[in-house]
């Protein structure tokens, strides 16, 4: 991933833009993670569509009749995430305000939401406008129960294969929320464009010392669609979206969860 140069923002804007320090922080983290991350995804575009009233079955029919012949390529699975943020919710604010260079920090795993998690991973999702990449660290086993807390997550990071600099950053973050949803996977006939469909999102507020998972909100209806593809294929993406009877949306499940739970 290309570096976000200090000179991308004019000198005068560095003094008047209150979010410029976040750009520098994210760039600094990006350089450190590039040296220590177990896995770095390719730069790709992610275009989201939120369909609050359209049943999934109707959208699936659209995919099957799309000229790019999208087909389901992977069994559906349940996705779980724990989101972390600074004490004053800088990552959340960056997303809401629309800061072009921003980061999201989460722990992800698949399958049941609670109990022993054997293969969790830390994902630091870095985005520059519509173009994003992930830095991924494999974590040790995690337990999702009442003992889940900021100290237990800090110990998890400390015992996993994470560089000291990145660990210090993670140590400064707080638990915010956990969510889970069913995800279905589709791919175009040429293999260049992928679509994920997320259904039935559950949100749980998290606290720093102990968690009972009783503070919950649910989105029972609606579909969240993401079109994902490498940056080299952006030129043909409009051909895909023009066959959808809806427009690209600005939606973040993390931001939605914070709002629904009344956290910020």
């Amino acid at each position: 991933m290309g570096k976000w140069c200090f000179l991308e923002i004019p000198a005068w804007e560095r003094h008047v833009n209150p979010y410029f320090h976040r750009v520098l922080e994210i760039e600094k983290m990006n350089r450190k993670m590039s040296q220590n991350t177990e896995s770095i995804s390719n730069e790709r575009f992610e275009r989201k569509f939120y369909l609050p009233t359209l049943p999934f079955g109707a959208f699936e029919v659209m995919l099957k009749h799309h000229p790019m012949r999208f087909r389901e390529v992977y069994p559906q699975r349940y996705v779980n995430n724990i989101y972390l943020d600074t004490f004053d919710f800088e990552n959340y604010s960056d997303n809401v305000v629309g800061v072009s260079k921003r980061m999201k920090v989460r722990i992800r795993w698949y399958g049941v939401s609670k109990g022993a998690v054997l293969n969790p991973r830390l994902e630091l999702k870095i985005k520059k406008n519509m173009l994003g990449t992930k830095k991924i660290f494999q974590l040790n086993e995690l337990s999702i129960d009442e003992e889940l807390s900021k100290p237990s997550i800090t110990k998890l990071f400390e015992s996993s294969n994470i560089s000291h600099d990145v660990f210090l950053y993670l140590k400064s973050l707080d638990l915010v929320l956990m969510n889970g949803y069913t995800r279905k996977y589709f791919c175009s006939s040429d293999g260049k464009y992928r679509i994920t469909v997320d259904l039935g999102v559950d949100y749980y507020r998290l606290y720093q010392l102990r968690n009972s998972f009783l503070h919950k909100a649910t989105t029972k209806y609606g579909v969240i669609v993401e079109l994902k593809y490498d940056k080299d294929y952006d030129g043909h993406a409009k051909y895909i979206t023009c066959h959808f009877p809806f427009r690209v949306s600005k939606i973040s499940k993390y931001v939605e969860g914070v709002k629904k739970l009344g956290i910020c």
Side-chain angles (χ1 to χ4, degrees), residues 6-17 20:
F6 184 91
L7 296 178
E8 285 183 3
I9 300 178
W12 63 268
E13 190 174 349
R14 297 173 202 158
H15 298 289
V16 300
N17 185 349
F20 180 69

Side-chain angles (χ1 to χ4, degrees), residues 75-80 109-113 179-183 185 199-202 204:
Q76 73 176 37
R77 53 185 177 177
Y78 200 76
V79 183
N80 304 276
W109 70 97
Y110 301 96
V112 296
S113 297
N179 68 15
Y181 44 88
T182 299
R183 171 165 283 186
Y185 302 82
L199 309 164
V201 188
D202 291 324
Y204 301 88

Side-chain angles (χ1 to χ4, degrees), residues 111-177:
V112 296
S113 297
K114 301 181 180 69
V117 178
L118 299 180
N119 295 298
R121 66 187 194 184
L122 170 69
E123 295 185 351
L124 295 102
K125 192 170 183 180
I126 300 173
K127 206 161 189 182
K128 181 179 180 182
N129 297 317
M130 298 291 290
L131 197 60
T133 188
K134 288 181 186 177
K135 317 293 184 179
I136 300 172
F137 300 81
Q138 194 63 41
L139 300 175
N140 294 330
E141 183 176 336
L142 168 66
S143 292
I144 306 298
D145 52 30
E146 290 186 352
E147 300 301 318
L148 178 69
S149 64
K150 180 175 179 177
S152 70
I153 292 298
T154 299
K155 289 181 180 179
L156 174 67
F157 292 149
E158 190 173 21
S159 65
S160 301
N161 186 26
I162 297 176
S163 70
H164 182 66
D165 287 336
V166 175
F167 168 71
L168 290 180
Y169 170 71
L170 296 171
K171 187 179 179 181
S172 71
L173 304 180
D174 289 340
L175 301 179
V176 179
L177 66 84

